[in-house]
């Protein structure tokens, strides 16, 4: 069957859509450059490691490096978090120094985003990605917010509420139309990254919270494809196998699994499911005009529960950000930055509709939303 025919069987929404059930996606995957290259490289997890290394160099020369011979990129986030509350004041000072420098970089990058037309009037920015899943990440985010506010930017920076690994799956719920939640209690979600591919059964818990704020990842499966050099075809085959296993698990647990798969994938996602650019870290050539991931998955999993499989794919930064939809109902314009191998980004405008997927206004104030004042002033003219 031709690729075009397969893609048409999705029948729910176009891939990479700018209009989703709960929000309009104003922009995603913006690539801003400065004299040193891509702006996102200044606020990535690799950038933090480079900063940490710079602070260790003078101590290493005097033989007083508290981290010894351990390479900066090999020190775990858990170990660095432990240093922050440990008794070695010199090691603590090194980590705090790195956090401060990184926060300055994050504030600089955020400032540049806020000055673009697409990010004008942004009231809140959620920060996700693997770096956020640490105490040092949380401190860096809070410090960046303080820096921006000291410069007159009336924007909140908050860590993403779900674990970043879960957020990349839970956000897929907000790619689906609301009728799915009335008829089914779970979906399949896929989060594709440059290092891992993660699949999961996402339990909606829609009856407990129609805004999807109580959704959870019931079970997930992880494949670290970066450990090998699989071909694109082998990666798709492995992904199909992972999804088939989760379908069996859902059936065994008694879930009413929707015939829907939401996919988060790096890069610019075209309406037909092809990837225009930004997938260079994935196994094989995913940007080929002859490759279409949704079509390949439908070929491998044509039905779920006796119904035709529907698939919607969007940028991974967008999907991770969508997990915050229930908690962003007291603002109008908000964004997400994901700190990982690179810096993912997306900006959203809420669509004020009562009821439905993530639009239950009565439950927006659910105690998880950070209590901060709303600000809707135009910051296009703020100084850097």
């Amino acid at each position: 069957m031709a690729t075009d025919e397969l893609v048409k069987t999705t029948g729910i929404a176009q891939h990479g859509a700018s209009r989703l059930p709960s929000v309009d996606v104003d922009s995603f995957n913006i690539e801003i450059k400065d004299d040193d290259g891509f702006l996102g490289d200044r606020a990535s997890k690799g950038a933090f490691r480079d900063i940490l290394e710079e602070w260790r160099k003078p101590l290493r020369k005097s033989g007083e490096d508290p981290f010894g011979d351990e390479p900066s990129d090999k020190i775990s986030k858990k170990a660095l978090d432990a240093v922050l509350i440990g008794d070695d004041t010199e090691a603590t000072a090194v980590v705090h120094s790195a956090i401060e420098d990184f926060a300055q970089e994050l504030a600089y990058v955020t400032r540049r985003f806020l000055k673009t037309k697409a990010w004008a009037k942004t009231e809140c920015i959620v920060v996700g990605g693997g770096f956020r899943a640490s105490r040092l990440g949380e401190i860096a985010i809070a410090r960046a917010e303080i820096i921006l506010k000291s410069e007159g930017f009336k924007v909140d920076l908050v860590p993403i509420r779900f674990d970043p690994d879960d957020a990349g799956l839970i956000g897929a719920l907000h790619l689906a139309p609301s009728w799915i939640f009335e008829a089914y209690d779970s979906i399949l979600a896929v989060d594709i990254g440059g290092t891992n591919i993660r699949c999961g059964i996402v339990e909606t818990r829609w009856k407990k919270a129609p805004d999807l704020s109580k959704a959870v990842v019931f079970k997930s499966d992880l494949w670290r494809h970066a450990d090998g050099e699989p071909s694109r075809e082998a990666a798709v085959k492995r992904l199909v196998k992972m999804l088939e296993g989760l379908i069996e698990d859902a059936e065994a647990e008694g879930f009413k699994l929707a015939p829907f798969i939401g996919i988060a994938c790096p890069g610019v996602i075209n309406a037909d499911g092809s990837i225009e650019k930004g997938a260079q870290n994935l196994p094989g050539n995913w940007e080929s005009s002859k490759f279409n991931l949704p079509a390949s998955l439908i070929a491998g999993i044509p039905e779920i529960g006796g119904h035709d499989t529907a698939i919607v794919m969007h940028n991974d930064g967008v999907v991770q950000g969508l997990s915050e939809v229930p908690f962003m109902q007291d603002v109008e314009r908000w964004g997400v930055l994901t700190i990982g191998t690179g810096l993912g980004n997306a900006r959203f405008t809420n669509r004020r509709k009562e009821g439905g997927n993530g639009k239950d206004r009565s439950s927006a104030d659910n105690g998880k939303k950070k209590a901060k004042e709303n600000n809707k002033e135009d910051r296009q003219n703020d100084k850097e």
Side-chain angles (χ1 to χ4, degrees):
M1 185 178 290
T3 296
D4 288 344
E5 293 178 287
L6 282 169
V7 173
K8 288 177 182 177
T9 66
T10 58
I12 285 185
Q14 71 178 24
H15 308 288
S18 60
R19 188 175 179 84
L20 296 174
S22 302
V23 297
D24 289 326
V25 183
D26 304 312
S27 73
F28 69 91
N29 206 51
I30 291 180
E31 294 181 340
I32 303 176
K33 290 185 178 181
D34 60 13
D35 293 339
D36 297 322
F38 287 108
L39 203 64
D41 293 339
R42 298 180 59 159
S44 65
K45 64 180 182 180
F48 175 80
R49 300 294 174 163
D50 291 341
I51 292 170
L52 179 62
E53 177 66 18
E54 286 301 310
W55 279 104
R56 292 177 61 193
K57 281 182 179 179
L59 297 176
R60 191 178 296 129
K61 288 180 181 179
S62 62
E64 299 175 355
D65 184 354
F67 296 99
D69 297 329
E70 186 75 8
S72 294
D73 61 353
K74 299 298 182 183
I75 304 173
S76 69
K77 289 180 293 186
K78 185 176 181 180
L80 292 173
D81 281 352
V83 166
L84 289 174
I85 58 173
D87 296 328
D88 189 335
T89 55
E90 193 166 65
T92 301
V94 169
V95 177
H96 273 293
S97 298
I99 290 173
E100 174 63 23
D101 282 0
F102 183 82
Q104 294 286 347
E105 293 295 307
L106 179 58
Y108 170 77
V109 171
T110 304
R111 188 186 309 124
R112 289 288 301 274
F113 273 104
L114 291 171
K115 286 185 172 291
T116 65
K117 183 177 180 180
W119 280 66
K121 300 184 181 181
T122 299
E123 301 159 65
C124 184
I125 299 174
V126 177
V127 184
F131 185 76
R132 173 265 176 269
S134 61
R135 183 61 177 168
L136 64 94
E138 292 176 345
I139 294 173
I141 294 166
R143 178 66 183 127
E145 179 188 50
I146 292 171
I147 293 167
L148 289 168
K149 289 193 170 180
S150 73
E151 297 170 347
F153 287 87
K154 297 175 183 178
V155 63
D156 297 332
L157 263 66
V158 296
I160 202 163
R161 288 157 182 76
F162 293 107
D163 182 282
D165 289 339
D166 288 348
L169 299 175
I170 291 172
L173 289 170
H174 298 273
L175 297 175
S178 58
W179 61 260
I180 277 184
F181 310 117
E182 297 177 7
Y184 301 95
D185 59 13
S186 54
I187 70 164
L188 292 175
V190 179
D191 188 8
I192 300 170
T195 302
N196 304 313
I197 292 178
R198 187 184 302 273
C199 304
I201 301 168
V202 181
E203 186 179 356
T204 68
R205 297 191 176 180
W206 181 78
K207 291 183 179 180
K208 292 183 178 179
D211 65 352
L212 303 175
S213 60
K214 295 187 181 299
V216 296
V217 177
F218 174 77
K219 182 177 183 179
S220 64
D221 191 7
L222 177 71
W223 173 41
R224 188 178 170 86
H225 64 78
D227 289 340
E229 295 183 1
S231 66
R232 184 182 67 199
E233 290 69 25
V236 172
K237 186 176 180 180
R238 178 69 176 265
L239 177 53
V240 168
K241 185 176 181 180
M242 292 166 70
L243 290 170
E244 288 175 338
L246 290 172
I247 292 171
E248 292 178 1
D249 292 339
E251 291 175 350
E253 292 292 334
F255 282 109
K256 193 171 184 182
L257 188 66
F260 175 86
I261 304 173
I263 303 176
C265 186
V268 177
I269 312 301
N270 294 320
D272 64 354
S274 61
I275 303 173
E276 183 176 330
K277 62 178 180 178
Q280 63 273 8
N281 293 324
L282 303 183
N285 180 14
W286 290 48
E287 299 173 18
S288 169
S289 60
K290 297 180 180 180
F291 177 66
N292 187 292
L293 179 61
S296 298
L297 291 182
I298 288 175
I301 307 176
E303 292 186 352
I304 298 176
H307 299 283
D308 290 342
T309 302
I311 295 177
V312 177
M313 183 166 78
H314 217 306
N315 172 265
D316 55 347
V318 169
V319 177
Q320 189 168 147
L322 289 175
S323 69
E324 286 288 306
V325 164
F327 315 115
M328 288 290 144
Q329 294 306 296
D330 57 347
V331 298
E332 184 175 1
R333 303 174 185 89
W334 55 284
V336 61
L337 297 174
T338 58
I339 304 173
T341 304
L343 184 72
N345 61 85
R347 218 296 287 264
F348 307 99
T349 297
N350 286 334
R351 302 209 347 258
R352 299 297 188 182
K353 289 186 177 180
E354 298 295 333
N357 184 356
K359 303 305 292 183
D360 185 357
R361 295 287 300 281
S362 65
S363 58
D365 184 16
N366 52 29
K368 293 186 179 181
K369 179 71 181 76
K370 189 176 182 180
K372 293 186 174 183
E373 295 181 356
N374 296 336
N375 293 289
K376 298 184 178 180
E377 299 175 9
D378 190 341
R379 283 173 288 278
Q380 282 179 289
N381 296 322
D382 281 346
K383 296 180 180 181
E384 292 193 24

Coordinates of all heavy atoms in Angstrom, one line a residue, residues 145-177:
E145 N 14.9 32.7 36.5 CA 13.7 33.5 36.7 C 14.0 34.8 37.4 O 13.5 35.9 37.0 CB 12.6 32.7 37.4 CG 11.3 33.5 37.7 CD 10.3 32.7 38.6 OE1 10.8 32.3 39.6 OE2 9.2 32.6 38.2
I146 N 14.7 34.7 38.5 CA 15.1 35.9 39.3 C 15.8 36.9 38.4 O 15.6 38.1 38.5 CB 15.9 35.5 40.5 CG1 15.0 34.7 41.5 CG2 16.5 36.8 41.2 CD1 15.8 34.1 42.6
I147 N 16.8 36.4 37.6 CA 17.6 37.3 36.7 C 16.6 38.0 35.8 O 16.7 39.3 35.6 CB 18.6 36.5 35.9 CG1 19.7 35.9 36.9 CG2 19.3 37.3 34.9 CD1 20.5 34.9 36.3
L148 N 15.7 37.3 35.1 CA 14.8 37.9 34.2 C 13.9 38.9 34.8 O 13.7 40.0 34.3 CB 14.0 36.8 33.5 CG 14.7 35.9 32.5 CD1 13.9 34.7 32.2 CD2 15.1 36.7 31.3
K149 N 13.4 38.6 36.0 CA 12.5 39.6 36.7 C 13.3 40.8 37.2 O 12.7 41.9 37.2 CB 11.8 38.9 37.9 CG 10.7 37.9 37.4 CD 9.8 37.4 38.5 CE 8.7 36.6 37.8 NZ 7.7 36.1 38.8
S150 N 14.5 40.6 37.5 CA 15.3 41.8 37.9 C 15.5 42.7 36.7 O 15.8 43.9 36.9 CB 16.7 41.4 38.4 OG 17.5 40.9 37.4
E151 N 15.4 42.2 35.5 CA 15.6 43.0 34.3 C 14.2 43.5 33.7 O 14.2 44.1 32.7 CB 16.2 42.1 33.2 CG 17.6 41.7 33.6 CD 18.2 40.7 32.6 OE1 17.4 40.1 31.8 OE2 19.4 40.4 32.7
G152 N 13.1 43.2 34.5 CA 11.8 43.8 34.1 C 11.0 42.8 33.3 O 9.9 43.2 32.8
F153 N 11.4 41.6 33.1 CA 10.6 40.6 32.3 C 9.6 40.0 33.3 O 9.9 39.4 34.3 CB 11.5 39.5 31.7 CG 12.3 40.0 30.6 CD1 13.5 40.5 30.7 CD2 11.8 39.8 29.3 CE1 14.3 41.0 29.6 CE2 12.5 40.2 28.2 CZ 13.7 40.8 28.4
K154 N 8.3 40.2 33.0 CA 7.2 39.7 33.9 C 6.8 38.4 33.4 O 5.7 38.2 32.9 CB 6.1 40.7 34.0 CG 6.5 42.1 34.5 CD 5.4 43.1 34.5 CE 5.9 44.4 35.0 NZ 4.9 45.5 34.9
V155 N 7.7 37.4 33.6 CA 7.4 36.0 33.1 C 7.8 35.1 34.2 O 8.8 35.3 34.9 CB 8.1 35.7 31.8 CG1 9.6 35.8 32.0 CG2 7.7 34.4 31.2
D156 N 7.0 34.0 34.4 CA 7.4 33.0 35.4 C 8.1 31.8 34.7 O 7.7 31.4 33.6 CB 6.1 32.4 36.1 CG 5.4 33.5 36.9 OD1 6.0 34.4 37.3 OD2 4.1 33.4 37.0
L157 N 9.1 31.3 35.3 CA 9.8 30.1 34.9 C 9.5 29.0 36.0 O 9.9 29.2 37.1 CB 11.3 30.3 34.8 CG 11.9 30.6 33.4 CD1 11.3 31.9 32.9 CD2 13.4 30.6 33.4
V158 N 8.9 27.9 35.6 CA 8.6 26.9 36.5 C 9.0 25.5 36.0 O 8.9 25.2 34.8 CB 7.1 26.8 36.8 CG1 6.6 28.1 37.5 CG2 6.3 26.5 35.5
P159 N 9.6 24.6 36.8 CA 9.9 23.3 36.4 C 8.7 22.5 36.0 O 7.6 22.7 36.6 CB 10.6 22.7 37.6 CG 10.9 23.8 38.5 CD 9.9 24.9 38.3
I160 N 8.8 21.7 35.0 CA 7.7 20.9 34.5 C 7.2 20.0 35.7 O 8.0 19.5 36.5 CB 8.0 20.1 33.3 CG1 6.8 19.7 32.5 CG2 8.9 18.8 33.6 CD1 7.1 19.2 31.1
R161 N 5.9 19.8 35.9 CA 5.4 19.1 37.0 C 5.6 17.6 37.0 O 5.9 17.0 38.0 CB 3.9 19.5 37.2 CG 3.7 20.9 37.7 CD 2.4 21.5 37.3 NE 2.2 22.9 37.7 CZ 2.8 23.9 37.1 NH1 3.5 23.7 36.0 NH2 2.6 25.1 37.5
F162 N 5.3 17.0 35.9 CA 5.5 15.6 35.8 C 7.0 15.3 35.6 O 7.8 16.2 35.1 CB 4.8 15.0 34.6 CG 3.3 15.0 34.7 CD1 2.5 15.9 34.0 CD2 2.6 14.2 35.6 CE1 1.1 16.0 34.1 CE2 1.2 14.2 35.7 CZ 0.5 15.1 34.9
D163 N 7.4 14.1 36.0 CA 8.8 13.7 35.6 C 9.0 13.9 34.1 O 8.1 13.5 33.4 CB 9.0 12.2 36.0 CG 10.4 11.8 35.8 OD1 10.7 11.5 34.6 OD2 11.2 11.6 36.7
P164 N 10.1 14.4 33.7 CA 10.3 14.7 32.3 C 10.1 13.5 31.4 O 9.5 13.6 30.3 CB 11.7 15.2 32.2 CG 11.9 15.9 33.5 CD 11.2 15.0 34.5
D165 N 10.5 12.3 31.9 CA 10.2 11.1 31.1 C 8.8 10.8 30.9 O 8.3 10.3 29.9 CB 10.9 9.9 31.8 CG 12.5 10.0 31.7 OD1 13.0 10.7 30.8 OD2 13.1 9.3 32.5
D166 N 8.0 11.0 32.0 CA 6.5 10.8 31.9 C 5.9 11.9 31.1 O 4.9 11.6 30.4 CB 5.9 10.7 33.3 CG 6.3 9.4 34.1 OD1 6.8 8.5 33.4 OD2 6.1 9.4 35.3
A167 N 6.3 13.1 31.3 CA 5.7 14.2 30.6 C 5.7 14.0 29.0 O 4.7 14.4 28.4 CB 6.4 15.5 30.9
G168 N 6.8 13.5 28.5 CA 6.9 13.2 27.1 C 5.9 12.2 26.6 O 5.6 12.2 25.4
L169 N 5.3 11.4 27.5 CA 4.3 10.4 27.2 C 2.9 11.0 27.5 O 1.9 10.9 26.7 CB 4.5 9.1 27.9 CG 5.8 8.4 27.6 CD1 5.9 7.2 28.5 CD2 5.9 8.0 26.1
I170 N 2.7 11.6 28.7 CA 1.4 12.1 29.1 C 1.0 13.2 28.1 O -0.2 13.4 27.9 CB 1.5 12.6 30.5 CG1 1.7 11.4 31.5 CG2 0.3 13.4 30.9 CD1 1.9 11.8 32.9
G171 N 1.9 14.0 27.6 CA 1.5 15.1 26.7 C 0.8 14.6 25.5 O 0.0 15.4 24.9
A172 N 1.1 13.4 25.1 CA 0.4 12.8 23.9 C -1.1 12.7 24.0 O -1.8 12.7 23.0 CB 1.0 11.4 23.6
L173 N -1.6 12.8 25.3 CA -3.1 12.8 25.5 C -3.7 14.0 24.8 O -4.8 14.0 24.3 CB -3.4 12.8 27.0 CG -3.1 11.5 27.8 CD1 -3.3 11.7 29.2 CD2 -4.0 10.4 27.3
H174 N -2.9 15.1 24.8 CA -3.5 16.4 24.3 C -3.3 16.5 22.8 O -3.7 17.5 22.2 CB -2.8 17.5 25.1 CG -3.1 17.5 26.5 ND1 -4.2 18.1 27.1 CD2 -2.4 16.9 27.5 CE1 -4.1 17.9 28.4 NE2 -3.1 17.2 28.7
L175 N -2.9 15.4 22.2 CA -3.0 15.3 20.7 C -4.3 14.7 20.3 O -4.6 14.7 19.1 CB -1.8 14.5 20.2 CG -0.4 15.0 20.4 CD1 0.6 14.0 19.9 CD2 -0.1 16.4 19.7
A176 N -5.0 14.1 21.2 CA -6.1 13.3 20.9 C -7.4 14.1 21.1 O -7.5 15.0 21.9 CB -6.2 12.0 21.8
P177 N -8.5 13.8 20.3 CA -9.8 14.5 20.5 C -10.4 14.0 21.7 O -10.2 12.9 22.2 CB -10.5 14.0 19.2 CG -10.0 12.7 18.9 CD -8.5 12.8 19.2

